[in-house]
Amino acid sequence: MRMPHPECTTCKSRGSSLFNFCSCAETEKINLSKTCNIYKKDQVVFHENVFPIGLFCINSGSIKLSKIFSTGKEQILRIARAGDFIGYRSLITNDPYSVTATALEDSTICLIPKGEFHELMQTNKNFYEALLATICKELESTETKVSEIAYKPVRGRIAEALLLLANIYKKEEYINLTREDLASFVGTVKETAIRVVSEFKDEKLISIDKRRIKIINSKGLLQISNLYD
Amino acid sequence: MRMPHPECTTCKSRGSSLFNFCSCAETEKINLSKTCNIYKKDQVVFHENVFPIGLFCINSGSIKLSKIFSTGKEQILRIARAGDFIGYRSLITNDPYSVTATALEDSTICLIPKGEFHELMQTNKNFYEALLATICKELESTETKVSEIAYKPVRGRIAEALLLLANIYKKEEYINLTREDLASFVGTVKETAIRVVSEFKDEKLISIDKRRIKIINSKGLLQISNLYD
DNA sequence: CGGCTGATTGAGCTATGTCAAGGGCAGTGG
DNA sequence: CCACTGCCCTTGACATAGCTCAATCAGCCG
């Protein structure tokens, strides 16, 4: 990929990222040490079981974090967007990645060297604390995901996922995910996801424009999502 | 409950807990500020949506952490035993508990006041780091749980759960969980869990003594568990 | 105009949930 | 020591959500 040149100091995503806790000097230092790449749609950013070399910070685009099974099936655990860090957990524990990160669309991602990240963790208490809080939140949402996959029927899970995705994709107005990815996100198969999405369209809860989904009646979706809580 | 008197300084569980990273002075300080209670089987240690008042440290016994649905169904996320901390996440994020903690058997649990915990986090770097690492591990295992519930059939999930539980219950030699709890742990219902457990018994993978399960052929179970990875 | 990728739809099939009816064992009280 | 009671565990019959497989369609690109 051709090397793009976003600058940390002027990065639009910085305000919503953990780097918001960094001083100007720190930001400048990170800016100098980082490298930056464009990942094309479907390109893998990092693979499960590989050791990390640094911290990925998403400048633009969107990335899915998923576990892939030998059968070819995939479980998407999280979708990360501009301003999000990915791959920091392995950096903290010195373990290989436990998930695979793949670009959902063309994305620009910066790579901050491992050492720089560790130094920041050691020297900037606010950064450290914000990092800890982020992980706690992630853990909570993952725990919620466990119980929902276990007990909510697909219809409820998709309703909820759409609301969550609408929030992630709020700038675009449309949820731009293939039915297959949507299915992997809620733990079902493509065909079932398609059927439920069609139902929602028939029930005027969502509209569809060129495969992309837009929520019309979020209250209705929320109600469906909460049916089994 | 009558007040028991375990001492942090001589606590057998200390070596395997995060307090292992504390100095003698710190341990002594914690010991003085803590209170301690016996929780009877099925007694709730803390409820979802309630704000924490301190850190629970399990001295003996076992505790299930679960989410409970309005339908009465329950998803067990984790089983904690002697030496484990519970409820620290809410303490870090200042949020109410996101899960309910219930004693699986009569258990002794100490409560370290919130302030003491925060002070430790601020002053003891090793403790802080170990805490972060613990959360990261928990997150990873929860993510694994998501994908398994989504794609592994019940048979595989129970095989895996038994191996994991055998490890948790290694001192006792027997896995002492009701079928209902086992079911909630893997995200299924009692009857299905019972049928699978019976199959495993017939296949000589496990033996059963007074409802308690003992693993005979862990390789076989592992194989079943890995069938769909 | 093909050819490709993703969306749809239909027709079974099956794993797993639900409901209902015992069965056994441990603890309790007489 | 025996009967009683209350958990659990177990089993069977049945219902169904959701998976699989297969065929077709629709938009898009070279």
Side-chain angles (χ1 to χ4, degrees), chain B residues 13-23 26-27 30 55-58 82-86 88-89 92 112 117 120-121 124-135 137-138:
Chain B
S13 309
R14 197 169 75 97
S16 62
S17 92
L18 288 177
F19 286 147
N20 200 22
F21 293 92
C22 293
S23 68
E26 285 169 331
T27 307
I30 292 160
L55 175 71
F56 291 96
C57 181
I58 305 174
D84 290 336
F85 286 176
I86 58 177
Y88 53 85
R89 214 167 68 239
I92 294 171
I112 293 104
F117 173 71
L120 209 50
M121 269 181 63
N124 184 332
K125 189 152 199 164
N126 290 331
F127 178 79
Y128 200 135
E129 278 173 7
L131 185 65
L132 182 60
T134 302
I135 298 177
K137 259 185 235 146
E138 235 175 90

Side-chain angles (χ1 to χ4, degrees), chain A residues 1 37-43 60-63 81 103-109:
Chain A
M1 282 306 111
N37 273 301
I38 291 172
Y39 292 82
K40 298 296 273 180
K41 180 168 157 50
D42 292 329
Q43 194 178 341
S60 72
S62 54
I63 306 294
R81 302 218 68 199
L104 284 169
E105 59 191 299
D106 294 2
S107 306
T108 310
I109 306 181

Side-chain angles (χ1 to χ4, degrees), chain B residues 20-37:
Chain B
N20 200 22
F21 293 92
C22 293
S23 68
C24 291
E26 285 169 331
T27 307
E28 187 55 46
K29 189 150 178 282
I30 292 160
N31 189 41
L32 290 174
S33 64
K34 76 158 201 307
T35 56
C36 208
N37 273 300

Side-chain angles (χ1 to χ4, degrees), chain A residues 113-162:
Chain A
K114 194 171 162 174
E116 205 66 40
F117 173 71
H118 279 132
E119 190 181 326
L120 209 50
M121 269 180 62
Q122 295 300 320
T123 56
N124 184 332
K125 191 152 197 163
N126 290 331
F127 177 80
Y128 201 135
E129 278 173 8
L131 185 66
L132 182 60
T134 303
I135 297 177
C136 286
K137 260 184 234 145
E138 233 174 271
L139 181 50
E140 179 173 346
S141 76
T142 308
E143 286 181 346
T144 303
K145 195 160 180 133
V146 168
S147 24
E148 294 192 335
I149 291 189
Y151 287 118
K152 249 189 209 180
V154 171
R155 199 176 144 83
R157 302 211 299 275
I158 292 195
E160 169 157 30
L162 290 179

Side-chain angles (χ1 to χ4, degrees), chain B residues 46-97:
Chain B
F46 57 74
H47 275 286
E48 198 172 335
N49 298 323
V50 166
F51 280 90
I53 54 165
L55 175 71
F56 291 96
C57 181
I58 305 174
N59 178 69
S60 72
S62 52
I63 307 293
K64 64 177 171 185
L65 296 160
S66 50
K67 289 196 182 262
I68 295 165
F69 298 78
S70 57
T71 56
K73 290 207 175 165
E74 172 186 34
Q75 172 65 45
I76 298 181
L77 292 158
R78 197 158 66 89
I79 291 174
R81 302 218 69 197
D84 290 336
F85 286 176
I86 58 177
Y88 53 85
R89 214 167 68 239
S90 295
L91 234 37
I92 294 171
T93 57
N94 280 313
D95 291 322
Y97 290 122

